[in-house]
Amino acid sequence: MQVEVFGREREIDESRIDADPATIREQVREYEAGERGTFDLEIEFPDGFTGSVMRAMMAIPAGETRTYGEIASDLESAPIAVGQACGRNPIPVIVPCHRIVGVDSLVGYGGGLALKRELLEHEGAALPGEP
């Protein structure tokens, strides 16, 4: 299904969320309006490494970021593997892959770096490479 956030459409796999599309869209709208910091949705994570990375993403509080290297270290993997798993995230925004950044830059986001920046600024996160 498509959801709109900050004027951009994002495809999410609603089959991995135990909620009806109206509830999912409403929670995304509340997030965008600043009325919701976390999503109250039951998620079915994929098996394997992608699911592990998605769980790590979910553990990052709104307003904070982690680097690909930090997540890789926690999962005993490589930063590039974490980046690839982020790219396979079937539930962007709700599972916050935008909170994973490079050491000194935003780098990589399926919705585009402008949306990644906007999501992080919306959450009040410090952006890498900026004071």
Side-chain angles (χ1 to χ4, degrees):
M1 73 183 265
Q2 294 285 327
V3 297
E4 185 176 317
V5 61
F6 299 116
R8 296 174 186 88
E9 293 285 323
R10 293 293 293 153
E11 177 71 30
I12 62 169
D13 181 357
E14 77 274 14
S15 72
R16 296 205 165 267
I17 303 171
D18 187 16
D20 62 89
T23 299
I24 296 167
R25 284 192 177 95
E26 179 64 13
Q27 288 198 19
V28 170
R29 187 207 61 76
E30 291 169 351
Y31 166 80
E32 183 179 24
E35 300 166 359
R36 171 179 294 281
T38 59
F39 293 92
D40 183 24
L41 300 166
E42 188 174 327
I43 295 170
E44 178 188 331
F45 295 99
D47 292 331
F49 187 69
T50 297
S52 296
V53 172
M54 288 175 67
R55 284 181 181 86
M57 289 185 242
M58 292 292 291
I60 304 168
E64 294 184 20
T65 60
R66 301 291 182 275
T67 66
Y68 294 94
E70 288 171 328
I71 299 298
S73 179
D74 290 346
L75 298 176
E76 297 179 356
S77 184
I80 195 162
V82 171
Q84 292 168 340
C86 288
R88 291 188 298 270
N89 175 11
I91 315 170
V93 181
I94 295 167
V95 175
C97 47
H98 59 276
R99 295 180 189 154
I100 312 281
V101 298
V103 172
D104 56 6
S105 63
L106 290 181
V107 302
Y109 186 65
L113 291 181
L115 179 56
K116 184 172 188 168
R117 174 181 295 279
E118 196 164 1
L119 290 166
L120 291 172
E121 287 174 345
H122 173 70
E123 294 178 358
L127 302 176
E130 298 181 16

